[in-house]
Amino acid sequence: MSIQDKVIYQLYPKSFYDSNGDGIGDLRGIIEKIDYLKRLNVDMIWFNPFFVSPQNDNGYDIADYRNIDPRFGTMADFEELVDKLKAINIDVMLDMVLNHTSTEHAWFQKALAGDPKYQAYYYIRPGKADGSLPTNWESKFGGPAWAPFGNTGNYYLHLYDPTQADLDWHNPAVRQEAAAIVNFWRAKGVHGFRFDVLNVIGKSETLVDAPPQIESKTLYTDTPIVEDYIKELAANSFDQDDNSVTVGEMSSTDLPHATAYTKPENHELSMVFQFHHLKTDYQNGEKWTNMRYDFNALRDLLHKWGAGMSQSGGWQALFWNNHDQPRALDRFGDVSHYRIQSAQVLAASIHLSRGTPYIYMGEEIGMSDPQYSSMDDYVDIEAHNAYKSLLQQGLTPEKAFAIIHQKARDNSRTPMQWDDSANAGFTNGTPWLRPTNQAQVNVAAELEHGQIFDFYQRLIAIRKQNPVIARGDYRPFGEDIDWLYAYERHLDDTAVLVLNNFADHAIDVPLPKDWQSGKILLTNATEVTLQATVTLEPFTTLAIIHN
């Protein structure tokens, strides 16, 4: 099965199911829920990191790449999980965080102890002559991107949290270590790898200030050497497997770079994550703002990337949700009035498109953002840093909290809601993050009489049964119709038209004659007739196929 045919499920282990009552999801919990994953019929599961970590950034600060953090289980648990998933034809994708390590990692600790070999693994620089930091770069989590390197008088670079020290990929030893880590997990039967923030590994050996009015990320994102590093890593590890599936998280990338990373002849990656469509509710490009998303911008970006990757031969990962984003249902749908229809139109709009669709844990039952009322409910360091920053900018606590409530990463990290009990059936203990709306949304109720999980099953089946969905091209349709996101897919003599109404009101769509004689492939409408003008009720999706 090629990447075009696959559907991938993202599972956040910390929040999936707790088997031992400590309030944290674990590997044995996943094993206990394998029948649920089998029922959905996905092909691969991407697991967020469960390696040894102090958990300052929820596992993306790795202290040991080759061992399971005891809070999640043991290596025997992992091996059992892999075997049981493979028995039901589900492959495993692991998260490789190779841009940085935890400051508790043995490499960093040896560097602190004065070992020059390991000091060369990191960006360690003296301050400027005037006593200021080595550069004016800002951390993506807020504040400067430099922290004191022990008591040496030097500083180390951290593009993210101060406990996440950036690795220097110019050092061949670092690149060899990266390949060895991938190969360690390949030897355990893993053939899927998601590479965290991969397009920022190409920082220069000589680091300089960002010019005035220029974001520092422009100095180290998508630099030419990134492709060289990926090709070398691929050749020395995953590209040796015919069935490897790889995806690079490429924040702020562009179409030409994404194409280059994913064209098969370049031997780099299978696909990329890009996030431009998830920034359409950023006011003036700023995440920590409170605004409704811009539908026209969203539609145009989806068309730009869909058509652009189709024409260039690149491949992208298709997604609305992940562990770093608030729930898409709240951002792009209408949870209060059209929760089911909103979930369905969001699903259809990407699952019928060109690319590999990802389902984020809970999306398939229509989970939405938690109903929190205090910063005490949030755990994520980014949210707390942002709240402090917003207060420093002069916002009232109420306005600052409203922004956090809309944009926090913890919105998607709440426990999987298995039933309507106090802890959503996730744990017998105290959950590390509190669920809030499980009485309305939970797996038990959805499987008994819901309409979202079944819709995802149908979408997955359609991709596998119709080559035009898996391999067809992408052509924008109806770009001048307000609130319509629509496209055509063509492969040989078969074509599919997908119409998605993102509005809370009905819209009329003129239907070309060829499509009036087609057959309905999928819809969530109770009744629809193919005629000169099709009326789509709020949050309706309609897919038409003709040969």
Side-chain angles (χ1 to χ4, degrees):
M1 183 184 295
S2 72
I3 59 167
Q4 289 96 333
D5 301 287
K6 293 181 185 295
V7 176
I8 300 177
Y9 188 86
Q10 182 189 355
L11 190 154
Y12 197 68
K14 194 173 183 178
S15 297
F16 194 63
Y17 184 65
D18 171 23
S19 70
N20 60 9
D22 65 357
I24 296 173
D26 47 51
L27 298 181
R28 295 228 63 83
I30 300 168
I31 291 171
E32 290 184 29
K33 296 294 186 180
I34 278 182
D35 284 347
Y36 175 78
L37 299 169
K38 179 181 180 180
R39 184 169 181 168
L40 187 58
N41 201 28
V42 293
D43 304 292
M44 176 173 272
I45 297 176
W46 156 28
F47 295 93
N48 292 94
F50 42 65
F51 314 114
V52 174
S53 166
Q55 295 289 315
N56 291 313
D57 186 24
N58 281 287
Y60 283 86
D61 48 323
I62 296 176
D64 186 343
Y65 291 96
R66 292 177 172 85
N67 279 298
I68 309 298
D69 194 303
R71 75 192 78 198
F72 294 117
T74 66
M75 187 63 76
D77 293 332
F78 173 76
E79 291 168 347
E80 180 183 345
L81 175 60
V82 172
D83 288 344
K84 289 188 172 179
L85 287 173
K86 286 187 179 296
I88 57 172
N89 298 314
I90 296 179
D91 288 321
V92 169
M93 173 181 283
L94 294 187
D95 217 320
M96 296 285 103
V97 188
L98 302 176
N99 172 71
H100 47 260
T101 71
S102 167
T103 52
E104 293 187 17
H105 194 287
W107 301 341
F108 192 82
Q109 290 300 307
K110 289 177 181 179
L112 273 177
D115 189 329
K117 172 184 175 180
Y118 291 99
Q119 288 180 350
Y121 275 37
Y122 299 92
Y123 285 92
I124 300 169
R125 301 288 189 271
K128 295 175 183 171
D130 63 3
S132 60
L133 296 173
T135 71
N136 62 355
W137 293 9
E138 293 184 1
S139 163
K140 298 197 177 192
F141 285 176
W146 296 93
F149 183 65
N151 58 5
T152 64
N154 291 327
Y155 299 86
Y156 68 91
L157 178 68
H158 62 88
L159 293 184
Y160 299 90
D161 187 68
T163 63
Q164 295 167 296
D166 278 60
L167 289 163
D168 186 349
W169 276 64
H170 291 281
N171 185 341
V174 168
R175 304 198 299 274
Q176 291 164 10
E177 296 271 18
I181 292 165
V182 174
N183 289 334
F184 175 85
W185 294 105
R186 284 177 60 228
K188 291 188 174 293
V190 176
H191 300 294
F193 297 96
R194 180 260 188 189
F195 294 98
D196 187 60
V197 297
L198 190 60
N199 61 332
V200 303
I201 61 175
K203 296 171 281 286
S204 176
E205 289 184 280
T206 302
L207 306 181
V208 299
D209 281 346
Q213 311 304 315
I214 299 295
E215 292 185 273
S216 53
K217 68 180 180 181
T218 61
L219 275 64
Y220 56 74
T221 301
D222 284 332
T223 59
I225 203 169
V226 171
E227 280 196 70
D228 295 335
Y229 290 157
I230 295 175
K231 286 175 181 175
E232 180 182 320
L233 177 64
N236 291 330
S237 59
F238 57 81
D239 204 36
Q240 298 171 22
D241 299 324
D242 292 335
N243 60 341
S244 72
V245 177
T246 55
V247 56
E249 182 194 27
M250 304 297 196
S251 182
S252 301
T253 194
D254 58 21
L255 257 172
H257 283 103
T259 296
Y261 293 137
T262 61
K263 290 182 74 168
E265 58 265 34
N266 289 354
H267 293 280
E268 296 179 35
L269 299 168
S270 305
M271 66 192 103
V272 297
F273 286 119
Q274 57 84 17
F275 301 88
H276 297 287
H277 63 301
L278 296 181
K279 297 178 181 179
T280 52
D281 57 359
Y282 287 19
Q283 190 167 10
N284 299 320
E286 292 294 329
K287 173 179 178 176
W288 298 106
T289 50
N290 197 348
M291 65 168 278
R292 190 183 188 208
Y293 84 104
D294 181 337
F295 173 78
N296 289 343
L298 174 72
R299 177 201 61 213
D300 294 348
L301 282 164
L302 292 174
H303 283 325
K304 173 184 175 180
W305 281 83
M309 293 292 264
S310 176
Q311 293 161 10
S312 67
W315 197 256
Q316 63 175 328
L318 303 171
F319 70 107
W320 289 113
N321 298 278
N322 69 23
H323 62 290
D324 281 335
Q325 301 288 333
R327 292 278 181 178
L329 207 50
D330 295 80
R331 299 173 79 174
F332 308 115
D334 184 338
V335 176
S336 299
H337 304 100
Y338 299 101
R339 185 182 71 86
I340 293 171
Q341 296 93 330
S342 295
Q344 292 169 334
V345 82
L346 285 168
S349 63
I350 65 168
H351 279 257
L352 300 177
S353 189
R354 183 183 182 277
T356 297
Y358 283 67
I359 302 169
Y360 178 69
M361 182 186 83
E363 175 186 330
E364 74 280 8
I365 64 168
M367 281 180 62
S368 55
D369 291 343
Q371 298 154 359
Y372 289 161
S373 58
S374 165
M375 284 304 300
D376 293 338
D377 290 318
Y378 291 95
V379 173
D380 185 35
I381 187 171
E382 185 191 39
H384 284 275
N385 287 347
Y387 182 71
K388 293 174 186 175
S389 175
L390 291 168
L391 293 180
Q392 290 169 359
Q393 294 170 33
L395 273 69
T396 65
E398 293 76 18
K399 288 184 177 180
F401 180 78
I403 293 172
I404 301 300
H405 191 265
Q406 185 187 42
K407 296 289 177 65
R409 300 190 299 181
D410 278 345
N411 287 356
S412 63
R413 298 175 179 181
T414 53
M416 185 71 170
Q417 295 170 186
W418 295 102
D419 59 37
D420 62 1
S421 62
N423 293 329
F426 164 70
T427 180
N428 292 323
T430 302
W432 76 277
L433 196 60
R434 184 170 64 89
T436 63
N437 55 7
Q438 64 270 25
Q440 294 77 39
V441 181
N442 63 75
V443 170
E446 178 65 29
L447 294 184
E448 183 178 349
H449 53 69
Q451 303 172 60
I452 301 174
F453 187 92
D454 172 72
F455 195 79
Y456 273 85
Q457 288 179 308
R458 290 161 63 193
L459 285 167
I460 293 169
I462 284 172
R463 174 168 288 266
K464 298 181 190 306
Q465 295 164 2
N466 295 273
V468 65
I469 301 298
R471 297 174 178 79
D473 65 6
Y474 180 104
R475 305 178 191 181
F477 177 91
E479 297 168 88
D480 57 342
I481 302 174
D482 290 342
W483 294 102
L484 178 71
Y485 170 52
Y487 51 83
E488 296 181 25
R489 308 289 313 284
H490 291 256
L491 181 69
D492 299 328
D493 296 328
T494 304
V496 170
L497 172 63
V498 182
L499 308 175
N500 299 289
N501 179 6
F502 272 67
D504 58 2
H505 55 79
I507 61 174
D508 292 331
V509 180
L511 199 61
K513 193 168 184 179
D514 285 350
W515 295 109
Q516 295 173 36
S517 60
K519 293 188 298 184
I520 295 175
L521 179 65
L522 179 78
T523 186
N524 63 345
T526 54
E527 184 177 344
V528 64
T529 301
L530 303 184
Q531 52 193 12
T533 298
V534 172
T535 298
L536 299 180
E537 296 301 320
F539 295 100
T540 287
T541 186
L542 171 64
I544 306 165
I545 187 168
H546 78 66
N547 298 101

